[in-house]
Amino acid sequence: MRRAVCPGSFDPVTNGHLDIIGRASRLFDEVIVGVGINQSKTRLFTVDERIGMLREVISSYDNVRVESFRGLLVDFCHAQRASVLIKGLRAVSDFDYELQMAQMNIGLAGVETLFMPTNPLYSFLSSSLVKDVAKWGGDISAHVPEVVREALLARLDPPSRL
């Protein structure tokens, strides 16, 4: 069985993430969306909230599941019996960091990384940008699924528009 991991923090999941997950689901028998738990970083949503939103928005994919992980990503890959990571690249700046990570992962544990160029519709999109726009009352409906938009609005309580 060809199995791949799509890792990330997904705080929150965006349409760009979903594009990569959906495309990966057509290439592999099974895709595991790995939600990283990093205690040293402050997140807007808890890991359980992020997993819940992801499970809701990927429910139409029969071959995609969501799991959390802590520690080294390569250890998670081995535990899931996945030898491939799928990483979306938005810009050249993403590549510099991701290439170093890919080289470390292959050296540490033989886990390959496949880079998937982001759909141009989402090349500027990041969870941080979505959160910032939502915080100031901007319209994020084209950038995240409706369940995520609602969760962001409830969590951030953005100022009313003038």
Side-chain angles (χ1 to χ4, degrees), residues 15-30:
N15 289 342
H17 293 127
L18 294 176
D19 176 61
I20 297 296
I21 293 166
R23 289 163 54 202
S25 76
R26 293 190 299 270
L27 299 173
F28 292 88
D29 299 317
E30 184 177 24

Side-chain angles (χ1 to χ4, degrees), residues 6 10 21 31-35 54 58 64-68 76:
C6 282
F10 304 102
I21 293 166
V31 174
I32 301 114
V33 177
V35 179
L54 274 159
I58 58 100
V64 178
R65 64 184 163 92
V66 181
E67 303 289 339
S68 65
F76 175 71

Side-chain angles (χ1 to χ4, degrees), residues 6-125:
C6 282
S9 61
F10 304 102
D11 187 42
V13 62
T14 69
N15 289 342
H17 293 127
L18 294 176
D19 176 61
I20 297 296
I21 293 166
R23 289 163 54 202
S25 76
R26 293 190 299 270
L27 299 173
F28 292 88
D29 299 317
E30 184 177 24
V31 174
I32 301 114
V33 177
V35 179
I37 301 171
N38 185 340
Q39 303 282 353
S40 66
K41 291 191 177 181
T42 303
R43 303 285 184 205
L44 183 61
F45 294 103
T46 68
V47 69
D48 290 335
E49 289 170 325
R50 290 180 276 150
I51 288 170
M53 284 187 277
L54 274 159
R55 285 184 176 153
E56 186 170 339
V57 299
I58 58 100
S59 63
S60 63
Y61 298 108
D62 293 335
N63 65 333
V64 178
R65 64 184 163 92
V66 181
E67 303 289 339
S68 65
F69 73 94
R70 179 185 321 269
L72 290 177
L73 180 54
V74 293
D75 291 341
F76 175 71
C77 289
H78 281 289
Q80 300 297 319
R81 297 185 336 268
S83 59
V84 176
L85 290 166
I86 303 291
K87 301 293 291 223
L89 295 178
R90 295 171 294 191
V92 172
S93 57
D94 288 345
F95 181 74
D96 290 337
Y97 174 76
E98 294 297 346
L99 178 61
Q100 290 176 338
M101 294 301 296
Q103 291 169 329
M104 180 62 80
N105 291 336
I106 192 78
L108 279 175
V111 175
E112 294 285 355
T113 301
L114 296 181
F115 297 120
M116 190 174 286
T118 302
N119 182 319
L121 294 171
Y122 310 117
S123 63
F124 64 92
L125 199 52

Side-chain angles (χ1 to χ4, degrees), residues 15 130 133-134 138-146 148-150 152-153:
N15 289 342
V130 165
V133 170
D139 181 11
I140 57 168
S141 58
H143 309 301
V144 296
E146 182 61 20
V148 174
R149 188 187 74 78
E150 290 171 6
L152 274 167
L153 294 179

